[in-house]
Amino acid sequence: MRHPAQIGVARVLSLRTRGSMKLITRDTDYAVRALCYLAKHRERTISVPELVKALEIPRPFLRKILQLLHNKGILKAYKGKGGGFSMAISPGRISLIEVMRVFQGQFSLNECLFKKECCPRRYSCGLRKKIMEIERQALKDIGKITIGNLARD
Amino acid sequence: MRHPAQIGVARVLSLRTRGSMKLITRDTDYAVRALCYLAKHRERTISVPELVKALEIPRPFLRKILQLLHNKGILKAYKGKGGGFSMAISPGRISLIEVMRVFQGQFSLNECLFKKECCPRRYSCGLRKKIMEIERQALKDIGKITIGNLARD
DNA sequence: TCCAAATGATACCATAATTGTATCATTTGT
DNA sequence: ACAAATGATACAATTATGGTATCATTTGGA
Ligand code: FES
Ligand code: FES
């Protein structure tokens, strides 16, 4: 006999509570906000306390973010009393991708790991090819977004 | 005096070790593989042991994935000896997005949370608008990928 | 009838990523 | 000298990811 009884189309909700799937993480977001603020006040050197007041970002976290942006050469830093940060590059030349890469590493929408090793079907896989194409397009579009045009609201 | 000393453009590497930023998680990937296998053998009912051999996916994990796909109405399930799973819908009508939503929840590339609440600038934010547009396009493209055309390699 | 083979439901666990905090050292203008 | 700033770095809490384990239930067949 050939299995007549199907169980029925249950619509039980998420066994795990997921819902995020976000592409831009908190630190990238914070970084963008901070960079926009700095971009709008290029004439001045902005200190962390000022940024904290303006952006309501947890101070130690913001400090870490700014330090990283400095290490990556995106910000200039001035130590000592009256010091702070300012843009090292023209805001129009800082793409959102660069900021994302600082905090989120390299893009790679589908890694398809196979037990810690690189997937054997990697180069034949159809899914991979299609996802890569979508990724390329998205990156191109994200690349067009710069701190410069974000800062202009 | 106006801060002449800049610290120099250090290129210190990632203070955090990141590098993933993947859009498709492991369970989605496993689910796609399993669905493709099922799509290629629609005439039969496929058991978990067979899938484990064919796809080399950890058995208990695969079971959970298949159960969820069944709960969502994507698979039919047959209990008892000789039982297993089979497609409940035509493979050509199962989009990759649907599978992603099952395991990764709703898309939302930029949430921009502001201290656990919804961001106050949400509707004026330029970043958000641009990212949303990119997201829409990416979703449209991912929507075109179906289990059907993936199964055909 | 009883057993083996299959899924259903669910609880648990280990690791890594995310999202922060805290501390101390160093620099610098006054 | 001192206060105000960043530099470097270690630590901690929470959540997401990836995976295991267990027991109950169904079902075909000897
Ligand atoms: S890259 Fe491994 S199956 Fe797609
Ligand atoms: S959505 Fe909050 S600042 Fe962009």
Side-chain angles (χ1 to χ4, degrees):
Chain A
M1 191 199 168
R2 194 80 186 79
H3 291 298
Q6 197 222 325
I7 306 306
V9 180
R11 289 276 170 191
V12 177
L13 284 182
S14 55
L15 296 188
R16 289 191 202 174
T17 358
R18 307 221 206 167
S20 53
M21 209 167 150
K22 64 192 163 201
L23 193 51
I24 292 185
T25 54
R26 203 79 144 262
D27 33 26
T28 300
D29 191 279
Y30 286 169
V32 168
R33 287 194 227 167
L35 285 169
C36 284
Y37 190 92
L38 289 175
K40 282 183 195 160
H41 302 87
R42 286 201 74 182
E43 72 289 356
R44 287 194 292 133
T45 291
I46 315 282
S47 70
V48 169
E50 175 174 349
L51 282 172
V52 166
K53 270 186 201 159
L55 306 175
E56 302 180 66
I57 296 172
R59 186 191 316 222
F61 200 19
L62 180 58
R63 267 171 56 83
K64 195 164 60 173
I65 287 170
L66 294 175
Q67 277 185 42
L68 197 41
L69 288 172
H70 171 233
N71 285 337
K72 295 294 183 180
I74 293 172
L75 293 182
K76 287 182 196 167
Y78 303 102
K79 294 174 81 171
K81 195 170 182 176
F85 296 89
S86 69
M87 310 290 297
I89 313 176
S90 162
R93 310 193 57 184
I94 303 174
S95 149
L96 179 54
I97 298 187
E98 294 177 56
V99 183
M100 290 175 75
R101 277 207 262 260
V102 168
F103 295 101
Q104 302 172 223
Q106 203 66 23
F107 240 115
S108 173
L109 299 191
N110 180 28
E111 300 202 333
C112 184
L113 302 172
F114 220 97
K115 302 189 176 187
K116 306 276 181 190
E117 301 141 37
C118 185
C119 171
R121 318 177 200 178
R122 193 173 186 82
Y123 294 105
S124 64
C125 170
L127 174 58
R128 189 178 152 77
K129 277 179 199 143
K130 287 173 188 164
I131 292 287
M132 293 286 276
E133 183 51 40
I134 292 171
E135 176 188 334
R136 257 185 11 85
Q137 183 59 45
L139 281 178
K140 217 176 100 187
D141 291 341
I142 296 177
K144 290 179 198 154
I145 302 176
T146 69
I147 297 301
N149 50 52
L150 287 176
R152 281 196 298 278
D153 264 338
Chain B
M1 194 196 165
R2 195 82 184 78
H3 291 299
Q6 197 223 327
I7 306 307
V9 181
R11 290 276 167 191
V12 178
L13 283 182
S14 55
L15 297 187
R16 291 189 202 174
T17 0
R18 307 223 204 165
S20 52
M21 208 168 153
K22 64 194 163 199
L23 194 50
I24 291 184
T25 55
R26 201 79 140 260
D27 32 26
T28 299
D29 191 279
Y30 286 167
V32 168
R33 287 193 227 169
L35 285 170
C36 285
Y37 190 92
L38 290 176
K40 281 184 195 160
H41 303 85
R42 287 201 73 180
E43 73 288 356
R44 286 194 293 131
T45 290
I46 315 282
S47 70
V48 169
E50 177 175 348
L51 282 171
V52 166
K53 270 186 201 158
L55 305 175
E56 302 180 67
I57 295 172
R59 185 190 316 219
F61 200 18
L62 180 58
R63 267 171 55 84
K64 194 164 61 172
I65 286 169
L66 294 175
Q67 278 185 40
L68 197 42
L69 288 172
H70 170 234
N71 285 337
K72 296 293 182 178
I74 293 171
L75 293 182
K76 287 183 195 165
Y78 303 101
K79 293 174 82 171
K81 194 169 181 177
F85 296 88
S86 70
M87 309 291 297
I89 314 176
S90 162
R93 309 193 57 184
I94 303 174
S95 148
L96 179 54
I97 296 188
E98 294 176 56
V99 183
M100 290 175 75
R101 278 208 260 261
V102 168
F103 296 100
Q104 305 178 49
Q106 203 66 23
F107 239 116
S108 172
L109 299 190
N110 180 27
E111 298 201 333
C112 184
L113 301 172
F114 219 99
K115 302 189 176 186
K116 304 277 181 190
E117 300 143 38
C118 183
C119 171
R121 320 176 198 179
R122 195 174 185 82
Y123 295 104
S124 64
C125 172
L127 174 58
R128 189 177 153 76
K129 277 180 198 144
K130 287 174 187 164
I131 293 286
M132 293 286 275
E133 183 49 42
I134 292 170
E135 175 188 334
R136 259 187 7 88
Q137 183 60 45
L139 280 179
K140 217 176 99 187
D141 292 341
I142 296 177
K144 290 179 196 153
I145 303 176
T146 70
I147 298 301
N149 50 50
L150 286 176
R152 282 196 297 278
D153 263 340

